[in-house]
Amino acid sequence: RDGLPVSAFARKLGMLGQMNAAARQLALQGLRARHPAATEAQLQRYLADLLLGPELAARAYGPRPAEASHAP
């Protein structure tokens, strides 16, 4: 067979998932520090900006919650 054994692949995939979750948590902690009054919904939207970029996040989720209240 080519490649990694299934158990090694599963282990690496699990580690990748854990690293991704840790990175998301660190990003949320940073967002909470920068936006202490933000709601959880706002923080999740700001996280989407970080992960997807502002343009794609706006297309996928609409404007940021704070911006939506200023819309005409």
Side-chain angles (χ1 to χ4, degrees):
R1 274 195 312 165
D2 291 349
L4 295 173
V6 173
S7 61
F9 177 75
R11 189 170 44 252
K12 287 185 185 277
L13 191 58
M15 289 174 24
L16 182 61
Q18 289 174 346
M19 289 186 336
N20 187 29
R24 290 175 70 92
Q25 288 302 314
L26 286 172
L28 276 171
Q29 287 176 359
L31 289 168
R32 282 188 184 98
R34 284 179 283 198
H35 306 282
T39 65
E40 191 62 30
Q42 288 170 320
L43 291 169
Q44 290 297 322
R45 181 59 181 79
Y46 297 153
L47 181 62
D49 279 354
L50 288 175
L51 297 176
L52 303 174
E55 184 179 325
L56 182 56
R59 289 178 60 194
Y61 300 108
R64 287 179 166 189
E67 296 168 354
S69 64
H70 293 75

